[in-house]
Amino acid sequence: MKFASRLVSFDPAPGDRYRPIATPIYQTATFEQEHADEFGEYDYSRSGNPTRTVLEKHLASLENGTRGFCFSSGMAAITTTTKLLRSGDDILADSDLYGGTCRLFTKVLEKTGISARYADAANLEQFAQQIRPETKLVYVETPTNPLLRVLDLRKLAEIAHANGAILCVDNSTMSPYLQNPLDLGADIVLHSATKYLGGHHDVTAGAIVVKDEELAKQVYFIQNAEGNGLSPFDCFLLLRGIKTLKLRVDCQQRNALTIAKFLASHPDVKKVYYPGLADHPGYELQRSQARGSGGVLSFTTGSVEVSKTVAELTKLFRITVSFGSVNSSISLPGNMSHASVPPQVLAQRDLPADLVRISVGIEDEEDLIADLDQALQVATGKTLAASTR
Ligand SMILES: *Cc1c(COP(=O)(O)O)cnc(C)c1O
């Protein structure tokens, strides 16, 4: 079956005699046992819940894995991945990571005796040299956020495996519709399902999918032991959101490409970062490992003041952290989503202070372009400031 069909064709309620089309919310903490000396399929919702099982199986299938696990947030999924390591182990991560991931790696993990180091994973040779015998986890996102650098997942998997480490890929910016890291050699793919999978910014959730059964057992053990599995109601919302993933992302990336081209030819825009533009350095690599470039892009204006004003003057692009919703959003990553990155890590990156990141929604592209255009004109003083907002 093709992806669009797979999104909606799954058993929503295995074994349910009423045969509902939507997955029921099994809002129960415990399940009655038939015998005093043996458990049934479910006993306690922290350990397993039928609504969550449907979602986890569905996600495992969409990412071409064997087992999936859903968590209360993307950060909970990432935390679970780090629990596969022990004191003395080392994480080597790309230098352009989601701010919250950096904060977790740097400020929380250091207390546990696990080290995290950062290097430019686009420079494969130098990155490989940074691996140490204690490096057990190689951790990347691609395209990175907010600089939209494209990393070679096949090569990174080889580098990790040659050194006895596993590769974990945060696939939040792409979603399983556009990229399947497990097929490219990754051992773990994870998502902030809050973004494209949910798609409506009405649920906070995370997911992990693996192929290897031994890894799956460890992840399940941690999910149950720590109690960070996703609640039945949030599983229901995510199941509903996922059904329209392809429709949303098709529209979002069509809009994103049109906007990227518009910005690239705009006199008040200095540089556009979007791997769907043919002059982007990662254009070919992106085409070789993904089926599109997604709906997130960023640009610079040459002035922090102009960038800030653009963000404040757009009306359809609302100032919010996060991305992946049906609504367009705009942010200044230096001030917002990446404010949690420790200064010494931030210094390693070339994050322009005037960088504006947009996440393109499903609105009409003409309205979105007109909105950005008016904001740019006013911000650069070409039109008198409109007092309406
Ligand atoms: C948002 C995000 C996270 C964290 O996910 P939450 O659901 O907010 O906990 C992790 N990775 C990336 C790339 C993100 O964008």
Side-chain angles (χ1 to χ4, degrees), residues 73-75 78 98 101 141 145 170 172 192 194-195 204-205 323:
S73 68
M75 288 318 304
I78 298 168
Y98 174 70
T101 307
E141 302 167 12
N145 162 31
D170 181 332
S172 306
S192 166
T194 315
K195 314 293 162 57
T204 302
F323 58 84

Side-chain angles (χ1 to χ4, degrees), residues 109-184:
L109 284 192
E110 72 180 7
K111 293 189 223 161
T112 68
I114 296 170
S115 59
R117 293 171 305 119
Y118 305 89
D120 176 3
N123 188 334
L124 291 164
E125 223 164 283
Q126 274 184 21
F127 191 78
Q129 282 169 7
Q130 290 296 319
I131 292 204
R132 296 174 179 165
E134 351 30 297
T135 305
K136 294 287 157 53
L137 177 67
V138 172
Y139 189 100
V140 300
E141 302 167 12
T142 178
T144 67
N145 162 31
L147 291 175
L148 285 299
R149 287 154 58 251
V150 183
L151 305 179
D152 191 330
L153 290 180
R154 292 183 184 92
K155 295 259 170 60
L156 286 166
E158 279 170 25
I159 290 171
H161 296 157
N163 293 280
I166 57 172
L167 173 66
C168 175
V169 179
D170 181 332
N171 203 25
S172 306
T173 53
M174 287 279 92
S175 89
Y177 171 43
L178 297 181
Q179 179 169 272
N180 298 115
L182 296 179
D183 291 346
L184 302 166

Side-chain angles (χ1 to χ4, degrees), residues 4 23 68 288 338 366:
T23 304
S288 77
H338 288 66
E366 284 179 22

